[in-house]
Amino acid sequence: MTVVVGSAEARVTAVVAALPEEVAPLRSLLTGVERAWVGPLLVESGRLGGRRVALSATGDGAGNARVGVAALLAASRADGLVVIGVAGAL
């Protein structure tokens, strides 16, 4: 089953990090939150500062990042991607 987060009418910015702790500050600011599982990836979408966003944490490592970002972009139909994180500094 494929879950589509977002819509063609609303531009979406995807925001991804390796760890849930890295997206938590943004998650707390989301309004109108919707959650959907895309395979093993939880995608949380909503509005942040008036902009539609889709947040996800992929898990650490290059393999998880590759698979997670691909799934997030496909599910959210994002037109932009922001990668955040602390590169192992937690």
Side-chain angles (χ1 to χ4, degrees):
M1 179 174 135
T2 302
V3 177
V4 178
V5 179
S7 69
E9 296 85 35
R11 296 180 63 150
V12 177
T13 300
V15 181
V16 68
L19 303 176
E21 296 88 350
E22 295 169 323
V23 293
L26 294 178
R27 182 187 304 118
S28 69
L29 298 173
L30 279 181
T31 59
V33 179
E34 299 173 15
R35 291 177 177 84
W37 287 96
V38 180
L41 191 70
L42 176 61
V43 177
E44 297 173 292
S45 63
R47 293 204 172 270
L48 182 63
R51 176 83 178 163
R52 187 97 174 130
V53 299
L55 303 176
S56 194
T58 63
D60 60 351
N64 286 334
R66 245 186 326 276
V67 171
V69 167
L72 175 60
L73 292 176
S76 67
R77 298 181 183 173
D79 61 340
L81 174 66
V82 176
V83 180
I84 61 174
V86 294
L90 282 180

